[in-house]
Amino acid sequence: MWTERLAFYDKLIATNPNFERKGKTMPYTSVNGHMFSQLNKAGEIGLRLSKEQGILFMQEHQTTVFKSYGAVMKGYVLVPKKLMEDFELLSSYLNDSFTYAKSLKPKGAKQ
């Protein structure tokens, strides 16, 4: 299942030429040093959204926070399986996630 979910995640990321999948064992996308999407070991996709949009997303799609390696990822929501059936809508949420992460103060280079 994880391999199929990785292929789906790659297809989703390919919808926007500004996105690049990073990470070999923990696939993710990032902008300005901030991750905005992630695929965990369970094959679940998490999106980083603003607090307000995250609350609305969880209510509208009857989902919860996203966990990776057993830890709650602050600011991330779990993409429910049902939403994966609406590729266009999910792609728009990924774009929202990118826009939100891009609005955050860029992280400085590690020293």
Side-chain angles (χ1 to χ4, degrees), residues 25-40:
T25 59
M26 185 194 79
Y28 69 96
T29 57
S30 68
V31 61
N32 295 335
H34 296 283
M35 288 194 315
F36 63 91
S37 75
Q38 185 182 141
L39 180 70
N40 67 16

Side-chain angles (χ1 to χ4, degrees), residues 13-20:
I13 292 167
T15 62
N16 188 316
N18 294 314
F19 302 163
E20 174 188 357

Side-chain angles (χ1 to χ4, degrees), residues 6-63:
L6 176 61
F8 178 86
Y9 184 62
D10 283 340
K11 182 180 171 186
L12 180 64
I13 292 167
T15 62
N16 188 316
N18 294 314
F19 302 163
E20 174 188 357
R21 179 172 63 87
K22 300 174 183 176
K24 291 184 180 184
T25 59
M26 185 194 79
Y28 69 96
T29 57
S30 68
V31 61
N32 295 335
H34 296 283
M35 288 194 315
F36 63 91
S37 75
Q38 185 182 141
L39 180 70
N40 67 16
K41 280 191 160 196
E44 299 168 325
I45 298 173
L47 298 177
R48 186 175 191 175
L49 299 170
S50 69
K51 185 175 183 176
E52 298 80 16
Q53 191 175 16
I55 291 169
L56 290 173
F57 181 94
M58 288 189 289
Q59 290 171 345
E60 185 174 330
H61 297 288
Q62 300 172 349
T63 189

Side-chain angles (χ1 to χ4, degrees), residues 95-108:
N95 284 316
D96 290 346
S97 181
F98 171 76
T99 300
Y100 172 67
K102 195 173 177 183
S103 75
L104 300 173
K105 182 180 177 185
K107 288 188 176 182

Side-chain angles (χ1 to χ4, degrees), residues 61-77:
H61 297 288
Q62 300 172 349
T63 189
T64 186
V65 295
F66 177 72
K67 294 180 182 177
S68 185
Y69 292 92
V72 172
M73 298 294 293
K74 185 178 177 185
Y76 283 78
V77 295

